[in-house]
Amino acid sequence: MHESSSVAELVKSLKGELDRYPEHGKLPSSRAMVERFKVSPVTVSRALAQLASEGLVVTRPGAGAFRAEPRTRPPEPGDTSWQEVALSVEGATGAVPRTVDASGVLVCLAAPAPGVIEFNSGYLHASLQPEQAMAAALARAGRRPGAWGRPPTDGLPELREWFARGIGGMITTAEVLVTAGAQSALTTALRAVAPPGAPVLVESPTYPGMLAIARAAGLRPVPVPVDRDGVRTELLEAAFKATGARAFICQPLFQNPTGAVLSAERRPEVLRIAREAGAFVIEDDYVRRLAHEDAGPLPRPLATDDHDGTVIHVCSLTKATSPSLRIGVLAARGPVLERMRAIQIVDSFFVPRPLQEATLELVGSPAWNRHLRQLAAELRKRRDTLTTALARHLPELSLPHIPSGGYHLWLRLPDGTDETALTSAALRAGVAVTPGRPYFSAESPAPHLRVCFAGVSGPGEITEGVRRLRTACDEVLR
C-alpha cells in the first residue's frame, strides 16, 4: 500500500475513535499504534501531524498526543459582495483589467482521481525523478556551514556560475539572478519590461501559464503564429510594427505545445526584428534538459548570440527534477537586470538558501549527469510508445510534428470536434488530457489536444491511456 493511502486510512480510523477520549485525554503511544494498525512509525507520525494541523489533537514532545479542545463553531460569513466593485474599479479608467485566471495552469497541476491516467501532467512521474539523489543532496546541504543563513539576494555565487556556464556565450555570473522557478522568473521579466495596458507579443499557440502571467499584470497578449520551424518571423515583424510592443516571449527549443525548434535561419531574424523595434526577447528555455536520446546537438540559447542586451533568458531545473525543486534563473545585461533584481527583492527578498545549497549538491554530484542520460533514454522510449499507439488506435488524430525533446505531443483533432466534450468523455473513460483552446490567446484555428507522456508510470500505462482515449473518441467523434 502506498504511504499516502496508509496515512489517510490511519487518520480516518483515529478520527473515528477521538470521542472515546476526554478533552486533553492522552491517545495511545506511537508504538502502540504501530503494533495495532500494522503501519510504520513514519505513517503514525504523519497521521498525528495531520490531526494536529486540523486542530483535533495536540502533540507534546516527550509526552505524546492528546485530544484537543473542541473547536467552537465558526462565525457566519459576512457580505463580501462589495469586493466586486473594488476589484473592478481599475477597468473603468481605461486600463486593461487584471484578470487572474489560473484555470489553464491548474489543468497541469490538479491531480486526477485515483485510477485516472495522467496524460495532462506537466511534470515527471515519481519514477523518473532523481528522488534518491535529491534526498542525499538535501541531507548534505543541511550540514553545510551557514546553510540556514541569509543568502545573497542574487543567489549563491557558485550556483549562478553553474547556470552561467550552462547557458554559455557571453553570459557571466554577474548577469544571473537565481529565482524560485521559471514561472516566477517570467513574471519578474514581464513586469520589468511592460507596463500595465501594454501589448506583449506571444507565440500562438503558447503555454497557458504565460498568458495567465500577462493578463494578471494587465498586459494584452498579441498572438504570432508558430509553425514547425518556430515563430513566423514575417508575422513577428508585422506584429511589432502594428502594436508598438516592447517585448516578445518565445520558447525557441521544443516549444510548448507544438514541440517546434526555432530554425537556424529564423534565429538571427528574431534578434534583428526585436532590436529594430527597440524590444526585448524573453527566452523561455524551459526543457533544454529534457532532450530525447535521439535529439542530436541542440542549438544554443538565443542569449548566446545576443551582444546588446536584447534577450532576457529564463531557465529552470524544475522540469528535469521535481515540481518542488523550484530553482531557476534570469540572465540579462544592462538596466533591465537592475530592474528585475529590484522587483525580485521587493517581491520575495531571496530564494531560500537551503534549496540553493541542495541544488548545488545535486548538480555537482555524479548522479546528476547519470540522471539526465537515463531521462533522455526513457523520454524517447515513452514518446515512441505513444506515437506508435496513436498511429495504431487513433489514426484520425493528426500528429504534424514529432519532437525530439520535451514531454508531450500536440495533436490536431478532426475539424468540428468539441474539445470540451472530448476531454470530458476521456475523463469518464479514465484518462485526463488537455484541451488545446487555453493555448491560444485569441481564436483557435482548429481543435487540438496536448497529450503528455512524462507524468505516467511507464509504457504500459501509455498504451492503456490511448486505449481509453479511443473509447472517448468513439463516443464523441462518431
Side-chain angles (χ1 to χ4, degrees), residues 42-287:
V42 173
T43 298
V44 172
S45 176
R46 290 180 176 175
L48 290 175
Q50 182 171 330
L51 292 174
S53 70
E54 295 178 19
L56 299 176
V57 303
V58 175
T59 57
R60 300 171 188 165
F66 301 81
R67 183 182 176 185
E69 295 181 13
R71 290 176 290 185
T72 58
R73 184 177 179 181
E76 293 295 325
D79 180 8
T80 60
S81 57
W82 64 272
Q83 294 184 7
E84 294 185 43
V85 177
L87 293 174
S88 303
V89 166
E90 62 182 5
T93 65
V96 178
R98 291 178 297 161
T99 56
V100 184
D101 181 3
S103 57
V105 182
L106 286 174
V107 169
C108 298
L109 295 179
V116 174
I117 293 175
E118 291 189 67
F119 274 169
N120 64 334
S121 174
Y123 297 104
L124 299 180
H125 187 267
S127 62
L128 296 180
Q129 297 176 22
E131 289 188 339
Q132 291 186 348
M134 289 189 295
L138 189 60
R140 293 194 301 270
R143 296 192 294 269
R144 283 188 169 199
W148 293 91
R150 184 180 64 191
T153 54
D154 288 2
L156 297 179
E158 302 92 336
L159 186 58
R160 292 161 59 211
E161 181 182 0
W162 183 85
F163 272 108
R165 287 199 310 270
I167 299 168
M170 299 176 61
I171 299 297
T172 66
T173 302
E175 295 165 340
V176 172
L177 303 177
V178 176
T179 67
Q183 189 79 354
S184 173
L186 291 168
T187 301
T188 297
L190 263 184
R191 287 175 57 194
V193 302
V200 58
L201 305 187
V202 299
E203 294 173 314
S204 182
T206 192
Y207 165 53
M210 175 54 65
L211 298 177
I213 291 171
R215 289 169 178 149
L219 305 176
R220 294 186 289 111
V222 177
V224 184
V226 169
D227 62 22
R228 64 179 304 152
D229 291 321
V231 66
R232 293 179 54 184
T233 49
E234 79 280 9
L235 297 179
L236 177 66
E237 189 163 23
F240 269 123
K241 290 178 180 177
T243 64
R246 291 293 178 264
F248 167 52
I249 311 162
C250 65
Q251 295 174 327
L253 186 64
F254 308 131
Q255 197 260 355
N256 184 6
T258 66
V261 176
L262 186 63
S263 68
E265 294 75 22
R266 293 184 185 181
R267 287 170 58 91
E269 278 295 286
V270 168
L271 296 180
R272 177 192 65 79
I273 291 167
R275 288 192 193 103
E276 292 180 358
F280 291 95
V281 174
I282 301 175
E283 177 186 27
D284 181 11
D285 199 19
Y286 77 115
V287 285

Side-chain angles (χ1 to χ4, degrees), residues 334-356:
V336 72
L337 178 65
E338 300 305 316
R339 181 176 290 186
M340 292 191 299
R341 176 183 287 116
I343 290 172
Q344 180 161 293
I345 291 172
V346 169
D347 282 353
S348 57
F349 290 177
F350 45 76
V351 176
R353 182 163 188 154
L355 195 57
Q356 294 190 57

Side-chain angles (χ1 to χ4, degrees), residues 16-37:
E17 297 181 357
L18 280 179
D19 288 340
R20 298 181 185 178
Y21 304 96
E23 185 178 320
H24 304 303
K26 185 176 181 180
L27 275 64
S29 68
S30 295
R31 179 176 299 178
M33 292 186 194
V34 167
E35 295 176 355
R36 178 185 169 194
F37 293 103

